[in-house]
């Protein structure tokens, strides 16, 4: 049998094994074409089907209405940090952001290139250990922006902030898209790099309410306009075919296990198992995130010393529990338990952490 470990890397991250197996099976001869999906034209009817089925799965799993366009873009979520203000700016209107971590900070920096940016709430002074509650945005702004899950710090929004009527709410959902049931219609724009919770690196999902597509200034380069890609269903130029194909396979798997509601149940169970270990460790493991802001996807914690953290990471790896080192900006440890991480993997990790505590306290 193939050797597989439990992969807790933050992204690129573990993918559902059934999706990988399907890709392996189909690699040399994609559905009787005698070619790999990597080798066929993006204008072929075989690829076209994959492309649109992947979009339809997003629509179905997120219960999106026809008011939205679903797009496959390139350049990662980081490209959206500037494409959002570029496509949504309105002369004379401010853009409002909430700063909840490293990725929000980067998004704010890019928006400032385009105009007046106001940070209406921030948890920076508390090392981004929480998500500000009761956040409010002003009337008459171009848009409001939040980062729904803070991958580095392990915090997640557990409410959708209210925005005044006519203010589009934009969200970077790179690391928690489809992790739980949400009323996605509260958002005007949703973007997510695929490599955390959707599929492999190389494709970015953008969901945008159609009425916003004509905001973009006319003298914007063609490829930078969302409207270009919307008009051609993301087939204006060659899309990242393999990444979209893999995303489709992992979304098919999500659908098969019961969709987002079933996934949410598993995710809550997974997160509870790990947070319980932290909470019952008498301070041996310290959670970074405040309890009301804990992420379902990235569980961040520290140990008494860096040496102990390193030892824990290394011993975990020896047991086939890989990728537990925290992000360099936060330190400590992090277990990324995205949709594709199994309950079994999380149980193994919890057992290991308990044993490690017994042997090292
Ligand atoms: C990883 C991540 C990004 C950056 O994604 P790229 O696709 O590498 O540009 C942005 N936002 C969040 C929340 C992330 O987790």
């Amino acid at each position: 049998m193939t050797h597989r470990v439990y992969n807790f890397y933050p992204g690129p991250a573990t993918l559902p094994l059934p999706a990988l197996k399907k890709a392996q099976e189909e690699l040399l001869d994609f559905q009787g074409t005698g070619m790999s999906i990597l080798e066929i034209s993006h204008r072929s009817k075989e690829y076209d089907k994959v492309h649109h089925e992947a979009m339809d799965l997003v629509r179905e799993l997120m219960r999106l209405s026809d008011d939205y366009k679903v797009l496959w873009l390139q350049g990662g979520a980081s490209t959206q940090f500037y494409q959002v203000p570029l496509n949504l700016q309105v002369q004379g209107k401010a853009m409002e952001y909430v700063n909840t971590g490293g990725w929000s900070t980067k998004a704010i920096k890019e928006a400032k290139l385009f105009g007046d940016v106001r940070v209406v709430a921030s948890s920076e002074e508390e090392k981004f250990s929480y998500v500000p509650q009761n956040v409010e945005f002003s009337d008459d702004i171009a848009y409001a922006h939040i980062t729904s899950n803070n991958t580095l710090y392990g915090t997640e929004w557990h409410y959708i902030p209210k925005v005044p009527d006519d203010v589009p709410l934009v969200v970077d959902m790179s690391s928690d898209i489809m992790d739980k049931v949400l009323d996605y219609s509260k958002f005007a724009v949703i973007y997510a790099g695929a490599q955390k919770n959707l599929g492999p690196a190389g494709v970015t999902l953008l969901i945008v309410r159609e009425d916003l597509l004509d905001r973009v200034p006319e003298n914007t380069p063609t490829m930078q306009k969302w409207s270009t890609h919307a008009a051609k269903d993301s087939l204006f130029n060659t899309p990242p075919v393999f990444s979209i194909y893999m995303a489709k396979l992992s979304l098919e798997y999500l659908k098969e296990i019961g969709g987002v509601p079933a996934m949410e149940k598993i995710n809550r169970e997974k997160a509870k198992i790990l947070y319980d270990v932290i909470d019952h460790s008498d301070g041996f493991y310290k959670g970074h995130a405040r309890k009301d802001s804990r992420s379902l996807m990235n569980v961040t914690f520290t140990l008494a010393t860096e040496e102990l953290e390193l030892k824990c990471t290394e011993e975990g790896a020896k047991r086939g529990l890989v990728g537990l080192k925290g992000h360099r900006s936060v330190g400590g440890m992090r277990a990324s338990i995205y949709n594709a991480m199994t309950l079994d993997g999380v149980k193994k990790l919890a057992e290991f952490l308990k044993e490690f505590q017994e042997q090292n306290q």
Side-chain angles (χ1 to χ4, degrees):
M1 225 181 80
T2 316
H3 167 68
R4 297 275 297 169
V5 297
Y6 291 107
N7 169 1
F8 295 94
Y9 276 116
T14 194
L15 289 164
L17 191 56
L20 291 171
K21 282 190 168 152
K22 181 93 193 280
Q24 184 183 41
E25 257 168 46
E26 293 186 330
L27 189 67
L28 297 184
D29 177 9
F30 180 69
Q31 298 180 356
T33 56
M35 295 173 278
S36 148
I37 184 80
L38 289 157
E39 301 167 297
I40 63 178
S41 168
H42 64 294
R43 306 285 176 206
S44 65
K45 66 176 190 314
E46 290 85 4
Y47 176 72
D48 197 72
K49 187 157 177 274
V50 168
H51 189 87
H52 285 98
E53 278 177 6
M55 284 173 168
D56 292 346
L57 278 164
V58 170
R59 244 178 223 295
E60 184 183 339
L61 290 163
M62 296 175 76
R63 298 171 195 270
L64 298 174
S65 75
D66 290 342
D67 298 341
Y68 293 89
K69 275 293 208 181
V70 174
L71 303 179
W72 301 115
L73 303 178
Q74 299 188 65
S78 302
T79 293
Q80 293 312 312
F81 294 165
Y82 76 80
Q83 285 194 352
V84 166
L86 181 66
N87 282 274
L88 292 182
Q89 63 188 325
V90 179
Q91 275 290 318
K93 290 195 184 183
M95 300 162 274
E96 291 189 340
Y97 280 70
V98 179
N99 191 2
T100 49
W103 297 115
S104 311
T105 304
K106 287 187 168 154
I108 290 164
K109 177 168 176 266
E110 294 298 294
K112 284 182 176 165
L113 299 170
F114 293 85
D116 182 18
V117 172
R118 290 197 292 252
V119 177
V120 296
S122 168
S123 50
E124 189 171 13
E125 79 293 350
E126 297 283 341
K127 287 193 180 155
F128 296 119
S129 57
Y130 69 98
V131 168
Q133 303 298 302
N134 308 311
V135 165
E136 285 179 21
F137 296 96
S138 314
D139 289 314
D140 212 32
I141 55 175
Y143 63 87
H145 181 285
I146 66 168
T147 311
S148 54
N149 184 69
N150 301 284
T151 325
L152 319 183
Y153 295 88
T155 66
E156 186 171 8
W157 288 69
H158 296 297
Y159 72 104
I160 301 175
K162 284 208 183 73
V163 284
D165 290 345
D166 302 333
V167 170
L169 180 59
V170 180
V171 59
D172 174 359
M173 247 183 217
S174 294
S175 52
D176 68 339
I177 191 160
M178 301 189 213
D179 77 336
K180 60 184 173 304
V181 176
L182 261 192
D183 182 359
Y184 290 101
S185 72
K186 295 272 191 282
F187 301 97
V189 176
I190 299 169
Y191 64 93
Q195 69 275 19
K196 280 137 190 171
N197 220 18
L198 279 178
V203 68
T204 310
L205 175 65
L206 180 83
I207 296 163
V208 54
R209 227 176 50 211
E210 242 170 311
D211 61 289
L212 293 167
L213 290 170
D214 55 14
R215 275 202 188 182
V216 68
E218 226 168 278
N219 62 348
T220 303
T222 308
M223 281 295 289
Q224 304 299 335
K225 290 184 189 172
W226 292 339
S227 56
T228 301
H229 303 286
K232 300 285 181 196
D233 278 340
S234 283
L235 284 163
F236 173 76
N237 69 325
T238 317
V241 294
F242 193 69
S243 300
I244 294 168
Y245 162 75
M246 277 309 307
K248 180 195 147 215
L249 294 184
S250 68
L251 291 172
E252 269 172 353
Y253 179 68
L254 176 56
K255 182 176 166 181
E256 204 179 294
I257 63 158
V260 180
M263 195 71 250
E264 172 172 3
K265 243 179 105 193
I266 301 170
N267 284 338
R268 291 201 183 277
E269 193 176 344
K270 277 152 53 185
K272 183 173 188 307
I273 290 171
L274 292 183
Y275 289 121
D276 277 351
V277 170
I278 292 171
D279 292 342
H280 298 141
S281 72
D282 289 323
F284 185 80
Y285 299 112
K286 286 199 183 63
H288 176 75
R290 207 167 77 182
K291 282 188 186 173
D292 67 3
S293 304
R294 282 174 162 176
S295 168
L296 292 175
M297 298 277 96
N298 309 98
V299 178
T300 49
F301 53 100
T302 55
L303 281 72
T305 64
E306 266 182 52
E307 290 76 64
L308 205 54
E309 287 164 354
L310 187 66
K311 189 175 174 202
C312 187
T313 307
E314 283 173 354
E315 284 189 16
K318 276 186 208 144
R319 298 257 294 252
L321 306 161
V322 172
L324 291 167
K325 194 172 178 317
H327 188 267
R328 59 192 181 280
S329 64
V330 194
M333 301 184 64
R334 168 176 53 177
S336 296
I337 51 171
Y338 300 120
N339 284 1
M341 171 53 63
T342 58
L343 189 56
D344 192 41
V346 168
K347 285 182 179 161
K348 292 258 169 28
L349 175 60
E351 266 166 44
F352 163 70
L353 290 174
K354 283 188 227 165
E355 261 181 61
F356 185 82
Q357 177 177 357
E358 274 165 29
Q359 288 158 6
N360 290 277
Q361 69 185 357

